[in-house]
Amino acid sequence: MLGLKITERFKSSQVHALSSSSSETNGGNSSKASVAATKPHNNLNRNKTMISSWSKTKFTTNNNSISAFVNLVPLHLPSTDTIEPSIEPHLKPINLVETLSELFHRMECCSQSNKPSLCLEQYSLLRSLGDQKILRRCLRTARQNAGDVLSKVVLSAWLRFERRDDELDGVSSMDCGGYVLECPKKNLEHGFRPCSVNDHCQCQQEPNQETCTETVCVSDEESDVLFCVGSEEISCIRCRIAALSDPFNAMLYGGFAESKMSKIDFSGNGICPKGMRAVELYSRTKRLDLFCPMTVLELLSFANRFCCEEMRSACDSHLASIVVNVEDALVLIEYGLEERATLLVGACLQVLLRELPNSLHNPKVAKIFCSFEAKERLANVGCASFLLYYFLSQVAMEESMVSKTTMMLVERMGECATERWQKALAFHQLGCVLLERKEYKDAQHCFEAAVEEGHVYSLAGVARTKHKQGQPYSAYKLISSLIFEYKPAGWMYQERALYNMGKEKSFDLDVATELDPSLSFPYKYRALAKVEEKQIKEGIIELDKFIGFKLSPDCLELRAWLYVALEDYDSAIRDIRALLTVEPNYITSHGKIKGEYLLQLLNRGIQQKSQADCWMQLYQQWSCVDDIGSLAIIHQMLGNEPGKSLLEFRQSLLLLRLNCQKAAMHSLRLARNRSSSMQERLIYEGWILYDTGYREEALERADRSIAIQRSFEAFFLKAYVLADTTLDPESSSYVTQLLKEALKCPSDGLRKGQALNNLGSIYVDCGKLELAKECYKNALAIRHTRAHQGLARVYHQKNQRKAAYDEMTKLIEKAENNASAYEKRSEYGDREMAKADLDVATQLDPLRTYPYRYRAAVMMDEQKETEAVEELTKAIKFKPDLQMLHLRAAFYESMGDLSSALQDCQAALCLDPNHAGTLDLYRRIQELNF
């Protein structure tokens, strides 16, 4: 390397075309393949590896329609020179634990009014972790502590958007969900009102006094003054009109000439005769429900002109209460902005925000938010805030990173930013948007501004934009200095690898994987490097490593193309089906082909399975613990039988197991929408409520479903929700009875196996080992392979460690995804066997935290304190897990390093403020520190 001229590393490397010899090397067909290469076009599209027309003889032999596949679709792979990871559009602190600790300390000491802002900062810091439950908790806490109408409106809409209630059929955006935190009416009430997350809203039971039809009580007072508007005279009561405002009081009782008049010419004051009659009636009744909205708008304008504060407030509130749809909101918000009616504007914004993301596609809605002038108009009535534009920007970025609407909303967010973290986030996200739009110079300026605000990760954006502008050496030096200055992180080495070449590039990517195995780019690069060396199967094995522990759409797509290269179309179709399950609207990264279209083309040459065949294959995949294979089969079954809610539900269970939370909830919502009966719909609603933290409501749905019809799923739902707590003997007995009732109801073996497994687990907890053993044996008899784990637990409870170990070995041999099985088997061997199993578990799934904690605990037992802390620190860097932070804090406490222990406790409590063990440890350390 010392003999290499440094700038030589930044010259383009040779493009390796994928030829037929790659298939030969991997045992594929020996027929020749033509090679095509694209001309350099730009940094994103040049030097792609083309897969032209493999083995046309074989295509034709299988099916004539498949022979046209490569003619219809430009089968090509990117080269190692052209792929690159995206810059994450989130805050990414250099030391997340330290940042979270400092934030928790501020949250402990802050006033209630500052709590929402700190919760929003917490949300922005934790976005990169992707844990929806933690993010939802941040938003809920912010809403609980919000005091102004705008914050309540935005946070309530944000919570609704995170649940994607817009995907639920028959649910209006303005429906009251039954909870105070998200009630549209409660959002429009000024001031802080303490409430819990689960406090129920009574707004549906409250009588609406504005709309009651009682007889209007009119004062007996006689009119004593006439207001002339045009040719009409309106009889009024002087004292009532005077009471409307100080100006009227001065006019009618002060030293003005009108105080002596019995007839006052009121023409030319911007009110019509009808409006003046409404003023007169309001002065006596204080009611607005007697008038149409246009008249109330005229009264609002009148109240502003003559400083009638009570009338103005009443008009504002009344108009706010009648905004129920987007059409109303678009009309009334203009009046609200003109008349500075803050509550009316807030009500209109509430409707528009609760209709997101759909409302953002309406040009009239976009016009209200996007331009600088629009933001200023909102600011004039106190309805423009960083919170508002942060929410709008996140929605827009999810819809499209390159749209003009997205860019303008992020710009407005930056203009509203006041705190340093807000400015850093706004500049960084604008840089990401401009980078995607290929506006590299402007993007560079934004990233540099974010760095100035203290966001070091934005240097990756600066380097990337320099590279795009033909300055790879400058980009390389920038990231190298970053690595030298700060504690190394995986993303730093990943970024520098983009500007490196040869062995140095491979070295950087290997270090990136070692520091942060959750990064997909290094695996993709190594896979493509194998392909360019004509080792396609080895490339697939490299991708298998990552897909085995993290379902990544881009890795699935790349693996599918490699299977196509090997003419393994069944495997390619499996990956594309799994991909479309996670992202139904997926478009291939490089070919820009719709995933559904690609699937249709590949399917032409494959014999289609009947629904019965699919069920048989699903049983096989399920018993092999092949979750990706099971996803693909269910996707095919839904193609055969569209709208089958049962299949959508099964799909959601698999997606949850694969940690695809958003996709799982989407499938669950589809199951709810497509349910064929109320009994079935209640079950899916129950699961949605349970998964979003509403446990009691989930139980209520289960009971209602059982009341309509006893079913397996209703009993299983109720048992599952009740079991999700520490069970006393009485509760355990009740849950056991529920599961028995479930097993009496009709269902398929897949679900009954799960119920038997759960029942066995409860029996073990209760010490009823023989009953548990029988349950697990019955589950295994219907091919519920995971029951081996429960059976091993039974043997362990009986002190039969060898039998337990052997039982887990059976699971390892059968399971396609067996990292958890190795982890569990470690409990039944000696220390050396346990260490070996946990090392394998980490190799298969480096994101599993138990192996790190076990190894660290062993090191502490061996008095290797520094090594124990380092073992946990290694994992915490890429996965700041609550339990690992708690354990490291305990280690620090035992070592006497109380400041580090305190920091870890605070960071852990930022993830879960109610974790009992960490709270106890935190209080103890505080006392010791004091």
Side-chain angles (χ1 to χ4, degrees):
M1 182 173 175
L2 292 174
L4 177 67
K5 191 174 181 181
I6 190 78
T7 52
E8 290 295 316
R9 282 194 252 159
F10 306 101
K11 292 181 179 178
S12 272
S13 61
Q14 178 65 36
V15 179
H16 299 278
L18 183 64
S19 66
S20 59
S21 57
S22 62
S23 294
E24 293 169 12
T25 304
N26 293 288
N29 192 290
S30 61
S31 60
K32 294 183 179 179
S34 62
V35 177
T38 56
K39 293 180 180 179
H41 177 60
N42 57 37
N43 286 330
L44 292 177
N45 298 319
R46 71 175 193 271
N47 303 337
K48 289 181 178 176
T49 302
M50 300 298 294
I51 306 174
S52 181
S53 54
W54 301 286
S55 205
K56 286 192 177 180
T57 305
K58 181 171 180 180
F59 281 134
T60 308
T61 303
N62 288 341
N63 191 300
N64 289 331
S65 60
I66 273 200
S67 65
F69 178 67
V70 286
N71 295 324
L72 290 170
V73 180
L75 297 175
H76 55 261
L77 297 170
S79 76
T80 52
D81 293 328
T82 56
I83 63 167
E84 61 184 29
S86 60
I87 302 292
E88 293 184 35
H90 312 301
L91 289 182
K92 200 177 180 76
I94 286 291
N95 189 330
L96 180 60
V97 173
E98 183 181 323
T99 305
L100 290 178
S101 170
E102 187 270 334
L103 175 62
F104 181 81
H105 177 70
R106 283 190 284 137
M107 293 176 79
E108 274 192 313
C109 305
C110 77
S111 63
Q112 177 273 320
S113 60
N114 289 331
K115 195 73 176 285
S117 175
L118 292 174
C119 289
L120 190 65
E121 183 178 354
Q122 181 186 21
Y123 175 90
S124 68
L125 289 170
L126 297 175
R127 271 299 292 267
S128 60
L129 302 184
D131 190 318
Q132 297 302 310
K133 289 185 178 180
I134 292 177
L135 296 177
R136 197 181 302 123
R137 187 192 302 126
C138 294
L139 293 176
R140 281 178 175 170
T141 307
R143 171 60 186 86
Q144 280 178 286
N145 289 276
D148 62 287
V149 168
L150 181 63
S151 294
K152 292 179 183 180
V153 162
V154 175
L155 289 165
S156 176
W158 202 334
L159 283 164
R160 185 178 189 279
F161 175 78
E162 289 291 332
R163 286 201 316 273
R164 296 311 299 257
D165 280 3
D166 58 291
E167 294 181 357
L168 294 175
D169 290 348
V171 176
S172 166
S173 63
M174 296 303 288
D175 281 350
C176 178
Y179 302 99
V180 172
L181 285 187
E182 298 181 47
C183 174
K185 291 183 180 179
K186 296 294 182 184
N187 291 336
L188 299 179
E189 295 178 2
H190 289 283
F192 167 69
R193 289 174 174 79
C195 63
S196 87
V197 171
N198 295 313
D199 279 359
H200 288 277
C201 178
Q202 305 297 323
C203 70
Q204 297 293 344
Q205 302 171 16
E206 295 171 0
N208 189 341
Q209 296 180 3
E210 288 278 325
T211 58
C212 62
T213 56
E214 64 186 37
T215 305
V216 179
C217 296
V218 180
S219 170
D220 293 333
E221 298 171 87
E222 293 185 4
S223 59
D224 52 1
V225 63
L226 294 175
F227 277 78
C228 302
V229 180
S231 60
E232 297 191 36
E233 296 178 349
I234 296 93
S235 300
C236 301
I237 301 171
R238 184 181 294 269
C239 65
R240 295 290 185 180
I241 299 297
L244 292 176
S245 71
D246 289 341
F248 271 121
N249 187 60
M251 181 181 79
L252 296 173
Y253 287 108
F256 294 94
E258 287 83 356
S259 63
K260 308 296 184 184
M261 296 180 180
S262 59
K263 184 184 293 187
I264 299 171
D265 184 5
F266 213 64
S267 301
N269 281 295
I271 192 165
C272 68
K274 182 180 178 181
M276 194 61 211
R277 288 193 187 91
V279 170
E280 188 278 328
L281 186 55
Y282 174 82
S283 71
R284 289 181 289 137
T285 63
K286 305 299 182 185
R287 286 180 57 178
L288 294 169
D289 59 306
L290 307 170
F291 315 121
C292 68
M294 291 307 298
T295 300
V296 179
L297 285 169
E298 191 172 5
L299 291 182
L300 174 63
S301 179
F302 177 90
N304 272 331
R305 193 175 301 113
F306 293 100
C307 305
C308 306
E309 290 302 322
E310 182 186 356
M311 181 191 289
R312 180 187 180 283
S313 178
C315 290
D316 196 3
S317 297
H318 176 79
L319 290 168
S321 71
I322 64 173
V323 186
V324 293
N325 56 50
V326 172
E327 291 72 24
D328 290 346
L330 289 173
V331 171
L332 291 173
I333 195 170
E334 294 299 327
Y335 287 101
L337 290 168
E338 185 178 341
E339 299 296 339
R340 294 176 176 266
T342 304
L343 199 61
L344 174 57
V345 174
C348 294
L349 290 178
Q350 175 163 249
V351 171
L352 301 180
L353 295 177
R354 291 173 76 91
E355 287 284 352
L356 290 171
N358 299 326
S359 59
L360 208 54
H361 298 292
N362 185 333
K364 294 180 180 178
V365 174
K367 185 179 178 182
I368 290 170
F369 296 114
C370 289
S371 69
F372 174 81
E373 293 74 20
K375 187 264 296 181
E376 288 298 299
R377 290 183 74 200
L378 291 172
N380 287 336
V381 293
C383 287
S385 67
F386 176 82
L387 172 63
L388 171 65
Y389 279 101
Y390 185 16
F391 174 38
L392 288 168
S393 298
Q394 303 322 296
V395 176
M397 288 169 71
E398 283 192 26
E399 292 294 294
S400 170
M401 282 290 287
V402 298
S403 74
K404 188 174 181 181
T405 296
T406 300
M407 182 182 71
M408 295 176 75
L409 288 172
V410 180
E411 287 174 342
R412 302 293 83 76
M413 178 174 72
E415 292 161 2
C416 293
T418 55
E419 299 179 40
R420 200 174 181 206
W421 73 267
Q422 294 175 350
K423 294 176 183 178
L425 176 63
F427 281 127
H428 180 73
Q429 291 196 333
L430 184 55
C432 291
V433 170
L434 292 169
L435 179 61
E436 290 292 320
R437 289 169 61 89
K438 302 180 184 179
E439 298 176 26
Y440 301 127
K441 191 167 185 177
D442 290 340
Q444 180 182 337
H445 293 325
C446 289
F447 285 128
E448 288 171 343
V451 174
E452 287 293 317
E453 297 296 337
H455 191 232
V456 178
Y457 175 65
S458 293
L459 284 170
V462 176
R464 191 74 63 88
T465 51
K466 285 187 173 185
H467 176 57
K468 296 292 185 184
Q469 296 173 83
Q471 305 169 45
Y473 182 49
S474 177
Y476 174 83
K477 287 198 301 181
L478 180 62
I479 300 300
S480 292
S481 65
L482 182 64
I483 292 172
F484 179 78
E485 185 176 352
Y486 295 96
K487 288 183 179 180
W491 64 264
M492 297 178 187
Y493 283 91
Q494 174 179 267
E495 192 65 29
R496 190 173 72 171
L498 297 177
Y499 321 123
N500 226 328
M501 291 179 65
K503 291 182 179 179
E504 290 81 8
K505 187 182 191 99
S506 297
F507 171 79
D508 278 350
L509 290 174
D510 289 342
V511 174
T513 297
E514 183 181 346
L515 292 173
D516 187 353
S518 68
L519 298 172
S520 65
F521 174 75
Y523 295 89
K524 290 170 64 179
Y525 176 87
R526 288 189 288 264
L528 284 171
K530 295 290 185 185
V531 171
E532 292 175 356
E533 293 170 2
K534 303 179 172 122
Q535 300 175 35
I536 301 178
K537 284 186 177 177
E538 286 76 3
I540 290 173
I541 290 170
E542 185 65 31
L543 292 172
D544 287 345
K545 294 176 187 177
F546 188 79
I547 294 171
F549 66 86
K550 189 173 182 180
L551 198 61
S552 165
D554 55 336
C555 286
L556 278 174
E557 182 203 338
L558 182 55
R559 190 171 73 172
W561 285 118
L562 297 189
Y563 277 126
V564 170
L566 291 177
E567 300 179 8
D568 183 353
Y569 301 110
D570 284 327
S571 296
I573 288 172
R574 177 204 62 201
D575 281 356
I576 292 181
R577 286 191 180 281
L579 168 61
L580 289 171
T581 301
V582 178
E583 291 191 19
N585 300 317
Y586 190 83
I587 297 176
T588 61
S589 300
H590 302 285
K592 301 305 177 188
I593 306 161
K594 285 188 176 181
E596 283 289 354
Y597 178 63
L598 182 59
L599 181 62
Q600 290 171 16
L601 293 175
L602 284 169
N603 264 331
R604 291 182 183 179
I606 302 298
Q607 184 175 358
Q608 299 303 303
K609 297 182 181 71
S610 67
Q611 201 73 338
D613 291 335
C614 287
W615 273 110
M616 291 179 64
Q617 190 172 355
L618 181 59
Y619 270 91
Q620 181 182 348
Q621 303 294 92
W622 200 280
S623 64
C624 293
V625 196
D626 180 3
D627 293 333
I628 292 178
S630 299
L631 269 187
I633 292 298
I634 291 179
H635 186 272
Q636 182 174 354
M637 295 169 76
L638 281 167
N640 296 340
E641 199 172 352
K644 185 75 171 177
S645 58
L646 172 65
L647 295 174
E648 298 281 7
F649 177 57
R650 299 296 170 83
Q651 193 176 72
S652 72
L653 297 176
L654 283 167
L655 288 165
L656 280 175
R657 189 181 297 163
L658 289 163
N659 202 30
C660 300
Q661 219 171 22
K662 281 193 173 182
M665 294 306 293
H666 175 70
S667 293
L668 196 50
R669 287 189 289 270
L670 287 178
R672 180 261 187 199
N673 290 344
R674 295 167 178 173
S675 54
S676 58
S677 65
M678 178 56 71
Q679 173 265 336
E680 186 183 8
R681 180 171 177 165
L682 287 167
I683 292 167
Y684 302 141
E685 287 182 356
W687 282 113
I688 291 171
L689 287 163
Y690 172 74
D691 287 333
T692 49
Y694 295 107
R695 185 173 173 273
E696 295 303 320
E697 289 69 19
L699 289 172
E700 183 265 338
R701 293 295 198 282
D703 286 333
R704 284 173 58 190
S705 180
I706 292 169
I708 296 171
Q709 181 183 336
R710 297 164 62 86
S711 68
F712 173 90
E713 292 297 349
F715 281 115
F716 187 86
L717 167 63
K718 187 171 183 179
Y720 192 93
V721 174
L722 287 172
D724 189 24
T725 54
T726 303
L727 293 176
D728 54 40
E730 184 179 349
S731 300
S732 296
S733 176
Y734 184 49
V735 172
T736 299
Q737 189 59 40
L738 288 171
L739 288 171
K740 287 180 178 179
E741 291 296 327
L743 289 165
K744 292 177 185 177
C745 300
S747 187
D748 58 76
L750 299 177
R751 294 296 283 155
K752 290 208 169 185
Q754 183 65 61
L756 286 165
N757 203 54
N758 290 10
L759 184 57
S761 178
I762 294 171
Y763 279 140
V764 172
D765 292 339
C766 296
K768 301 176 181 179
L769 300 182
E770 289 305 316
L771 288 173
K773 183 177 180 180
E774 182 184 352
C775 285
Y776 292 130
K777 291 279 189 182
N778 290 337
L780 288 171
I782 53 176
R783 301 171 70 182
H784 188 78
T785 308
R786 286 182 173 84
H788 282 298
Q789 183 170 316
L791 198 53
R793 189 177 168 212
V794 170
Y795 291 137
H796 180 61
Q797 292 284 324
K798 292 182 174 183
N799 293 319
Q800 300 172 11
R801 291 173 64 86
K802 175 68 167 59
Y805 186 90
D806 292 342
E807 198 65 36
M808 288 308 302
T809 303
K810 294 177 185 177
L811 177 57
I812 288 169
E813 291 169 350
K814 291 180 182 179
E816 186 82 14
N817 305 310
N818 52 21
S820 63
Y822 276 104
E823 181 181 294
K824 195 66 181 175
R825 191 176 71 171
S826 70
E827 298 177 18
Y828 308 130
D830 58 33
R831 179 168 284 190
E832 288 305 313
M833 295 168 73
K835 185 178 181 304
D837 275 348
L838 291 174
D839 287 345
V840 174
T842 297
Q843 184 181 358
L844 294 172
D845 184 353
L847 302 185
R848 301 188 75 84
T849 61
Y850 174 75
Y852 300 97
R853 289 185 279 123
Y854 177 88
R855 288 189 289 264
V858 170
M859 290 172 188
M860 284 296 284
D861 288 345
E862 296 172 349
Q863 305 300 311
K864 298 177 181 177
E865 295 177 338
T866 303
E867 291 87 341
V869 168
E870 285 176 355
E871 180 68 20
L872 292 174
T873 301
K874 178 172 64 177
I876 287 171
K877 280 182 179 178
F878 62 84
K879 188 172 183 181
D881 175 77
L882 170 68
Q883 291 179 317
M884 285 196 291
L885 286 167
H886 174 86
L887 184 59
R888 192 172 71 171
F891 286 179
Y892 278 132
E893 182 200 21
S894 69
M895 295 162 64
D897 187 351
L898 296 183
S899 62
S900 296
L902 199 67
Q903 184 179 93
D904 278 357
C905 281
Q906 289 171 331
L909 291 171
C910 226
L911 299 175
D912 184 358
N914 302 314
H915 189 257
T918 305
L919 282 169
D920 290 341
L921 179 60
Y922 181 49
R923 294 187 187 109
R924 187 167 71 244
I925 293 169
Q926 281 182 311
E927 290 172 3
L928 291 170
N929 207 30
F930 179 76

